Amino acid sequence: MEILTQYHQMAAIALARIFLGFLFLFQGYDAVFHIGIKKVTDTYHESFKLKGIPRMITSLSAWYTSYTELICGFLLVLGLFEFASLYLLGINLILAAIGFGMNAPLWDTRNVYPRLLLILFLLMTPLHSHHWSLDYLIFKS
């Protein structure tokens, strides 16, 4: 029981990081490999076109969000470049909030808020508690 109490903070951080990583990884994998970036762009372009947003911006946003979710989600699962990944995914959520907000002002936030809370939790936890990651093994000083 002592081991559990001694490492519970590190375990909680690793659990949150891996869970969040898989959420983004699967979402990015689906967008890149199952749906396809073109179809993602086409889905949002129709409504954004009515607001005067050029297709190029919709396409760049679809590329950024899809590949950021895929790559950074994978990196979070491994615990590699954790803080850079968290900040890029935070930007990803901001873009998603802007896009969804422009599309429908009262959009369903049930998929965004849990991810945002996990990102904030991981960013606010003390650095010395992130031991169970590749970052710690490779870059510990």
Side-chain angles (χ1 to χ4, degrees):
M1 194 64 169
E2 184 180 325
I3 289 179
L4 291 177
T5 58
Q6 183 179 0
Y7 296 109
H8 76 279
Q9 188 177 20
M10 287 182 244
I13 290 167
L15 180 66
R17 187 195 76 237
I18 292 167
F19 179 75
L20 181 65
F22 276 123
L23 285 178
F24 278 113
L25 174 64
F26 292 143
Q27 185 172 325
Y29 182 86
D30 199 39
V32 172
F33 296 110
H34 288 145
I35 298 170
I37 302 296
K38 183 181 180 335
K39 194 166 186 176
V40 171
T41 302
D42 291 344
T43 300
Y44 291 104
H45 178 64
E46 288 306 311
S47 61
F48 290 162
K49 181 172 61 173
L50 299 174
K51 306 237 189 291
I53 297 172
R55 182 175 183 85
M56 184 181 81
I57 291 176
T58 306
S59 181
L60 287 173
S61 297
W63 276 89
Y64 176 81
T65 57
S66 299
Y67 279 100
T68 299
E69 291 164 358
L70 178 69
I71 295 166
C72 292
F74 180 69
L75 291 172
L76 281 181
V77 170
L78 297 177
L80 187 60
F81 307 117
E82 181 179 350
F83 290 100
S85 295
L86 289 168
Y87 283 114
L88 290 171
L89 289 167
I91 293 167
N92 175 47
L93 288 181
I94 291 169
L95 286 174
I98 291 169
F100 289 138
M102 289 178 64
N103 213 10
L106 295 174
W107 54 283
D108 186 1
T109 61
R110 71 176 171 214
N111 292 321
V112 175
Y113 280 132
R115 288 175 171 98
L116 177 62
L117 291 175
L118 283 171
I119 287 173
L120 293 174
F121 166 74
L122 289 167
L123 287 172
M124 292 191 312
T125 55
L127 190 58
H128 64 82
S129 299
H130 290 252
H131 281 240
W132 296 356
S133 68
L134 285 178
D135 278 347
Y136 180 76
L137 290 174
I138 296 169
F139 304 114
K140 66 182 171 185
S141 48

PDB file of all heavy atoms in Angstrom, residues 1-2 7 11 13 16 18 27 39 43 48-49 62 66 79-80 90 95-96 99 123 132 139:
ATOM      1  N   MET A   1       0.820  -1.199   0.000  1.00  0.00           N
ATOM      2  CA  MET A   1       0.000   0.000   0.000  1.00  0.00           C
ATOM      3  C   MET A   1       0.860   1.257   0.000  1.00  0.00           C
ATOM      4  O   MET A   1       0.442   2.278  -0.512  1.00  0.00           O
ATOM      5  CB  MET A   1      -0.919  -0.044   1.240  1.00  0.00           C
ATOM      6  CG  MET A   1      -2.009   0.951   1.173  1.00  0.00           C
ATOM      7  SD  MET A   1      -3.083   0.585  -0.198  1.00  0.00           S
ATOM      8  CE  MET A   1      -4.412   1.642   0.111  1.00  0.00           C
ATOM      9  N   GLU A   2       2.048   1.180   0.555  1.00  0.00           N
ATOM     10  CA  GLU A   2       2.936   2.334   0.610  1.00  0.00           C
ATOM     11  C   GLU A   2       3.337   2.800  -0.786  1.00  0.00           C
ATOM     12  O   GLU A   2       3.424   4.002  -1.050  1.00  0.00           O
ATOM     13  CB  GLU A   2       4.179   1.996   1.429  1.00  0.00           C
ATOM     14  CG  GLU A   2       5.103   3.192   1.609  1.00  0.00           C
ATOM     15  CD  GLU A   2       6.325   2.832   2.436  1.00  0.00           C
ATOM     16  OE1 GLU A   2       6.211   2.020   3.357  1.00  0.00           O
ATOM     17  OE2 GLU A   2       7.395   3.382   2.122  1.00  0.00           O
ATOM     18  N   TYR A   7       3.379   6.938  -4.953  1.00  0.00           N
ATOM     19  CA  TYR A   7       3.416   7.290  -6.377  1.00  0.00           C
ATOM     20  C   TYR A   7       2.052   7.671  -6.947  1.00  0.00           C
ATOM     21  O   TYR A   7       1.906   7.739  -8.160  1.00  0.00           O
ATOM     22  CB  TYR A   7       3.994   6.126  -7.186  1.00  0.00           C
ATOM     23  CG  TYR A   7       5.423   5.816  -6.836  1.00  0.00           C
ATOM     24  CD1 TYR A   7       5.759   4.662  -6.141  1.00  0.00           C
ATOM     25  CD2 TYR A   7       6.438   6.695  -7.187  1.00  0.00           C
ATOM     26  CE1 TYR A   7       7.074   4.388  -5.809  1.00  0.00           C
ATOM     27  CE2 TYR A   7       7.765   6.429  -6.870  1.00  0.00           C
ATOM     28  CZ  TYR A   7       8.071   5.271  -6.172  1.00  0.00           C
ATOM     29  OH  TYR A   7       9.370   5.010  -5.851  1.00  0.00           O
ATOM     30  N   ALA A  11       1.178   8.575 -10.882  1.00  0.00           N
ATOM     31  CA  ALA A  11       0.262   7.676 -11.584  1.00  0.00           C
ATOM     32  C   ALA A  11      -0.941   8.437 -12.136  1.00  0.00           C
ATOM     33  O   ALA A  11      -1.374   8.191 -13.265  1.00  0.00           O
ATOM     34  CB  ALA A  11      -0.193   6.559 -10.645  1.00  0.00           C
ATOM     35  N   ILE A  13      -1.074  11.579 -13.008  1.00  0.00           N
ATOM     36  CA  ILE A  13      -0.623  12.403 -14.135  1.00  0.00           C
ATOM     37  C   ILE A  13      -0.410  11.540 -15.371  1.00  0.00           C
ATOM     38  O   ILE A  13      -0.828  11.894 -16.481  1.00  0.00           O
ATOM     39  CB  ILE A  13       0.639  13.193 -13.749  1.00  0.00           C
ATOM     40  CG1 ILE A  13       0.262  14.277 -12.731  1.00  0.00           C
ATOM     41  CG2 ILE A  13       1.316  13.801 -14.973  1.00  0.00           C
ATOM     42  CD1 ILE A  13       1.424  14.926 -12.050  1.00  0.00           C
ATOM     43  N   ALA A  16      -3.886  10.503 -16.740  1.00  0.00           N
ATOM     44  CA  ALA A  16      -4.539  11.616 -17.441  1.00  0.00           C
ATOM     45  C   ALA A  16      -3.874  11.866 -18.791  1.00  0.00           C
ATOM     46  O   ALA A  16      -4.560  12.075 -19.799  1.00  0.00           O
ATOM     47  CB  ALA A  16      -4.495  12.881 -16.581  1.00  0.00           C
ATOM     48  N   ILE A  18      -2.047   9.760 -20.694  1.00  0.00           N
ATOM     49  CA  ILE A  18      -2.278   8.657 -21.635  1.00  0.00           C
ATOM     50  C   ILE A  18      -3.727   8.671 -22.120  1.00  0.00           C
ATOM     51  O   ILE A  18      -3.986   8.488 -23.314  1.00  0.00           O
ATOM     52  CB  ILE A  18      -1.898   7.318 -20.975  1.00  0.00           C
ATOM     53  CG1 ILE A  18      -0.378   7.277 -20.760  1.00  0.00           C
ATOM     54  CG2 ILE A  18      -2.354   6.145 -21.819  1.00  0.00           C
ATOM     55  CD1 ILE A  18       0.098   6.157 -19.840  1.00  0.00           C
ATOM     56  N   GLN A  27      -9.089  10.426 -32.530  1.00  0.00           N
ATOM     57  CA  GLN A  27      -9.805  11.444 -33.300  1.00  0.00           C
ATOM     58  C   GLN A  27      -8.992  11.839 -34.530  1.00  0.00           C
ATOM     59  O   GLN A  27      -9.537  11.967 -35.626  1.00  0.00           O
ATOM     60  CB  GLN A  27     -10.073  12.660 -32.413  1.00  0.00           C
ATOM     61  CG  GLN A  27     -10.916  13.722 -33.063  1.00  0.00           C
ATOM     62  CD  GLN A  27     -11.314  14.808 -32.078  1.00  0.00           C
ATOM     63  OE1 GLN A  27     -11.552  14.543 -30.904  1.00  0.00           O
ATOM     64  NE2 GLN A  27     -11.392  16.020 -32.555  1.00  0.00           N
ATOM     65  N   LYS A  39     -12.531  15.406 -47.108  1.00  0.00           N
ATOM     66  CA  LYS A  39     -13.922  15.306 -46.660  1.00  0.00           C
ATOM     67  C   LYS A  39     -14.164  16.161 -45.415  1.00  0.00           C
ATOM     68  O   LYS A  39     -15.233  16.760 -45.265  1.00  0.00           O
ATOM     69  CB  LYS A  39     -14.290  13.852 -46.402  1.00  0.00           C
ATOM     70  CG  LYS A  39     -15.757  13.625 -46.260  1.00  0.00           C
ATOM     71  CD  LYS A  39     -16.100  12.164 -46.356  1.00  0.00           C
ATOM     72  CE  LYS A  39     -17.611  12.004 -46.350  1.00  0.00           C
ATOM     73  NZ  LYS A  39     -18.008  10.627 -46.528  1.00  0.00           N
ATOM     74  N   THR A  43     -16.843  19.206 -45.377  1.00  0.00           N
ATOM     75  CA  THR A  43     -17.917  19.247 -44.392  1.00  0.00           C
ATOM     76  C   THR A  43     -18.069  20.641 -43.796  1.00  0.00           C
ATOM     77  O   THR A  43     -19.178  21.156 -43.663  1.00  0.00           O
ATOM     78  CB  THR A  43     -17.649  18.222 -43.268  1.00  0.00           C
ATOM     79  OG1 THR A  43     -17.591  16.920 -43.841  1.00  0.00           O
ATOM     80  CG2 THR A  43     -18.723  18.270 -42.212  1.00  0.00           C
ATOM     81  N   PHE A  48     -18.885  27.556 -43.637  1.00  0.00           N
ATOM     82  CA  PHE A  48     -17.933  28.663 -43.500  1.00  0.00           C
ATOM     83  C   PHE A  48     -17.954  29.577 -44.719  1.00  0.00           C
ATOM     84  O   PHE A  48     -17.697  30.765 -44.601  1.00  0.00           O
ATOM     85  CB  PHE A  48     -16.516  28.145 -43.273  1.00  0.00           C
ATOM     86  CG  PHE A  48     -16.313  27.509 -41.919  1.00  0.00           C
ATOM     87  CD1 PHE A  48     -15.234  26.681 -41.699  1.00  0.00           C
ATOM     88  CD2 PHE A  48     -17.183  27.735 -40.871  1.00  0.00           C
ATOM     89  CE1 PHE A  48     -15.029  26.092 -40.461  1.00  0.00           C
ATOM     90  CE2 PHE A  48     -16.991  27.155 -39.629  1.00  0.00           C
ATOM     91  CZ  PHE A  48     -15.910  26.326 -39.429  1.00  0.00           C
ATOM     92  N   LYS A  49     -18.265  29.019 -45.872  1.00  0.00           N
ATOM     93  CA  LYS A  49     -18.343  29.818 -47.100  1.00  0.00           C
ATOM     94  C   LYS A  49     -19.415  30.895 -46.962  1.00  0.00           C
ATOM     95  O   LYS A  49     -19.220  32.019 -47.416  1.00  0.00           O
ATOM     96  CB  LYS A  49     -18.648  28.901 -48.290  1.00  0.00           C
ATOM     97  CG  LYS A  49     -18.722  29.619 -49.619  1.00  0.00           C
ATOM     98  CD  LYS A  49     -18.828  28.660 -50.789  1.00  0.00           C
ATOM     99  CE  LYS A  49     -20.056  27.816 -50.714  1.00  0.00           C
ATOM    100  NZ  LYS A  49     -20.282  26.995 -51.924  1.00  0.00           N
ATOM    101  N   ALA A  62      -8.275  22.330 -41.156  1.00  0.00           N
ATOM    102  CA  ALA A  62      -8.538  20.884 -41.132  1.00  0.00           C
ATOM    103  C   ALA A  62      -7.226  20.103 -41.079  1.00  0.00           C
ATOM    104  O   ALA A  62      -7.102  19.127 -40.331  1.00  0.00           O
ATOM    105  CB  ALA A  62      -9.362  20.471 -42.343  1.00  0.00           C
ATOM    106  N   SER A  66      -6.332  18.014 -37.647  1.00  0.00           N
ATOM    107  CA  SER A  66      -6.281  16.559 -37.823  1.00  0.00           C
ATOM    108  C   SER A  66      -4.895  15.997 -37.526  1.00  0.00           C
ATOM    109  O   SER A  66      -4.756  15.010 -36.790  1.00  0.00           O
ATOM    110  CB  SER A  66      -6.701  16.187 -39.247  1.00  0.00           C
ATOM    111  OG  SER A  66      -8.022  16.615 -39.493  1.00  0.00           O
ATOM    112  N   GLY A  79       4.491  10.090 -23.791  1.00  0.00           N
ATOM    113  CA  GLY A  79       5.071  11.032 -22.842  1.00  0.00           C
ATOM    114  C   GLY A  79       6.307  11.708 -23.406  1.00  0.00           C
ATOM    115  O   GLY A  79       7.228  12.050 -22.680  1.00  0.00           O
ATOM    116  N   LEU A  80       6.309  11.920 -24.700  1.00  0.00           N
ATOM    117  CA  LEU A  80       7.444  12.537 -25.388  1.00  0.00           C
ATOM    118  C   LEU A  80       7.034  13.924 -25.887  1.00  0.00           C
ATOM    119  O   LEU A  80       5.983  14.070 -26.513  1.00  0.00           O
ATOM    120  CB  LEU A  80       7.883  11.657 -26.559  1.00  0.00           C
ATOM    121  CG  LEU A  80       9.149  12.036 -27.293  1.00  0.00           C
ATOM    122  CD1 LEU A  80      10.347  12.018 -26.349  1.00  0.00           C
ATOM    123  CD2 LEU A  80       9.385  11.050 -28.438  1.00  0.00           C
ATOM    124  N   GLY A  90      -3.821  22.615 -27.200  1.00  0.00           N
ATOM    125  CA  GLY A  90      -4.597  23.742 -26.690  1.00  0.00           C
ATOM    126  C   GLY A  90      -4.975  24.701 -27.809  1.00  0.00           C
ATOM    127  O   GLY A  90      -6.120  25.167 -27.888  1.00  0.00           O
ATOM    128  N   LEU A  95      -8.959  26.662 -31.983  1.00  0.00           N
ATOM    129  CA  LEU A  95      -9.444  26.665 -33.374  1.00  0.00           C
ATOM    130  C   LEU A  95     -10.787  25.950 -33.480  1.00  0.00           C
ATOM    131  O   LEU A  95     -11.692  26.421 -34.189  1.00  0.00           O
ATOM    132  CB  LEU A  95      -8.429  26.000 -34.305  1.00  0.00           C
ATOM    133  CG  LEU A  95      -7.181  26.790 -34.618  1.00  0.00           C
ATOM    134  CD1 LEU A  95      -6.202  25.946 -35.436  1.00  0.00           C
ATOM    135  CD2 LEU A  95      -7.533  28.058 -35.381  1.00  0.00           C
ATOM    136  N   ALA A  96     -10.927  24.826 -32.796  1.00  0.00           N
ATOM    137  CA  ALA A  96     -12.193  24.092 -32.831  1.00  0.00           C
ATOM    138  C   ALA A  96     -13.314  24.930 -32.227  1.00  0.00           C
ATOM    139  O   ALA A  96     -14.420  24.980 -32.779  1.00  0.00           O
ATOM    140  CB  ALA A  96     -12.048  22.769 -32.082  1.00  0.00           C
ATOM    141  N   GLY A  99     -14.223  27.609 -34.724  1.00  0.00           N
ATOM    142  CA  GLY A  99     -14.955  27.018 -35.847  1.00  0.00           C
ATOM    143  C   GLY A  99     -16.363  26.606 -35.480  1.00  0.00           C
ATOM    144  O   GLY A  99     -17.330  26.928 -36.186  1.00  0.00           O
ATOM    145  N   LEU A 123      -0.857  20.730 -17.583  1.00  0.00           N
ATOM    146  CA  LEU A 123       0.041  21.884 -17.641  1.00  0.00           C
ATOM    147  C   LEU A 123       0.283  22.499 -16.270  1.00  0.00           C
ATOM    148  O   LEU A 123       1.337  23.097 -16.035  1.00  0.00           O
ATOM    149  CB  LEU A 123      -0.522  22.950 -18.590  1.00  0.00           C
ATOM    150  CG  LEU A 123      -0.438  22.630 -20.079  1.00  0.00           C
ATOM    151  CD1 LEU A 123      -1.189  23.669 -20.889  1.00  0.00           C
ATOM    152  CD2 LEU A 123       1.010  22.523 -20.533  1.00  0.00           C
ATOM    153  N   TRP A 132       6.757   9.485 -15.101  1.00  0.00           N
ATOM    154  CA  TRP A 132       6.435   8.299 -15.883  1.00  0.00           C
ATOM    155  C   TRP A 132       6.190   8.671 -17.338  1.00  0.00           C
ATOM    156  O   TRP A 132       5.085   8.598 -17.862  1.00  0.00           O
ATOM    157  CB  TRP A 132       5.236   7.583 -15.305  1.00  0.00           C
ATOM    158  CG  TRP A 132       5.498   7.039 -13.921  1.00  0.00           C
ATOM    159  CD1 TRP A 132       6.676   7.069 -13.229  1.00  0.00           C
ATOM    160  CD2 TRP A 132       4.570   6.396 -13.072  1.00  0.00           C
ATOM    161  NE1 TRP A 132       6.525   6.482 -12.014  1.00  0.00           N
ATOM    162  CE2 TRP A 132       5.237   6.056 -11.880  1.00  0.00           C
ATOM    163  CE3 TRP A 132       3.229   6.068 -13.199  1.00  0.00           C
ATOM    164  CZ2 TRP A 132       4.615   5.395 -10.836  1.00  0.00           C
ATOM    165  CZ3 TRP A 132       2.606   5.420 -12.142  1.00  0.00           C
ATOM    166  CH2 TRP A 132       3.296   5.085 -10.989  1.00  0.00           C
ATOM    167  N   PHE A 139      15.279  13.304 -21.013  1.00  0.00           N
ATOM    168  CA  PHE A 139      15.728  14.676 -20.754  1.00  0.00           C
ATOM    169  C   PHE A 139      15.931  15.025 -19.289  1.00  0.00           C
ATOM    170  O   PHE A 139      16.166  16.178 -18.977  1.00  0.00           O
ATOM    171  CB  PHE A 139      14.737  15.674 -21.359  1.00  0.00           C
ATOM    172  CG  PHE A 139      14.505  15.476 -22.821  1.00  0.00           C
ATOM    173  CD1 PHE A 139      13.253  15.079 -23.281  1.00  0.00           C
ATOM    174  CD2 PHE A 139      15.522  15.679 -23.735  1.00  0.00           C
ATOM    175  CE1 PHE A 139      13.030  14.898 -24.630  1.00  0.00           C
ATOM    176  CE2 PHE A 139      15.291  15.491 -25.093  1.00  0.00           C
ATOM    177  CZ  PHE A 139      14.050  15.089 -25.538  1.00  0.00           C
TER     178      PHE A 139
END
